[in-house]
Amino acid sequence: VQLQASGGGLVQAGDSLRLSCAASGRTFSNYNMGWFRQAPGKEREIVAAITRSGSNTYYADSVKGRFTISRTNAKNTVFLQMNSLKPEDTAVYYCAASGGYSNVLYYTSSENVEYWGQGTLVTVSS
């Protein structure tokens, strides 16, 4: 499956952004989706994940209550709504896809990702 992320940009602290990731090439509803991020000098980390039907989600503690992951299977797209952005949210954000029927926690590990998007840069100024 090919993943194309978009929506990043430069914003001020407190602003909102919505990232989108469009999938193609395979049946989108067969894949569990995730958003990861990597800040300069840091390891890639999970931000949020969502199962194939959208019935289960996961959020990293650092974004709970501020970010929302959602998907529209009819449009082969997963979203990450980011509100109340902080400078520490600055990173390259990657969407990821994994097949299977495991618990949503399984899809929070980068080792279990089958496909990666190209990344979109989010910069939050203070």
Side-chain angles (χ1 to χ4, degrees):
V1 62
Q2 291 78 47
L3 302 172
Q4 182 71 40
S6 62
L10 172 63
V11 298
Q12 292 187 332
D15 285 350
S16 297
L17 274 179
R18 188 174 83 152
L19 305 183
S20 300
C21 177
S24 62
R26 299 286 179 96
T27 303
F28 180 67
S29 59
N30 287 343
Y31 290 88
N32 307 276
M33 302 299 295
W35 287 97
F36 290 75
R37 68 186 180 186
Q38 187 166 20
K42 295 188 177 182
E43 294 186 355
R44 192 171 297 189
E45 63 177 3
I46 183 68
V47 175
I50 188 167
T51 51
R52 301 183 314 155
S53 67
S55 59
N56 294 97
T57 57
Y58 168 91
Y59 296 95
D61 287 344
S62 59
V63 306
K64 276 181 183 176
R66 299 188 298 122
F67 290 12
T68 303
I69 188 171
S70 62
R71 65 189 295 163
T72 303
N73 285 347
K75 295 187 176 181
N76 297 343
T77 305
V78 62
F79 303 97
L80 185 68
Q81 177 66 43
M82 306 186 294
N83 298 329
S84 302
L85 282 161
K86 304 176 181 180
E88 51 263 44
D89 294 319
T90 295
V92 176
Y93 283 71
Y94 300 89
C95 61
S98 306
Y101 301 85
S102 298
N103 184 282
V104 66
L105 291 177
Y106 179 85
Y107 305 108
T108 64
S109 171
S110 58
E111 295 182 353
N112 298 328
V113 171
E114 295 182 44
Y115 302 98
W116 291 99
Q118 87 288 2
T120 185
L121 176 63
V122 173
T123 304
V124 185
S125 64
S126 57

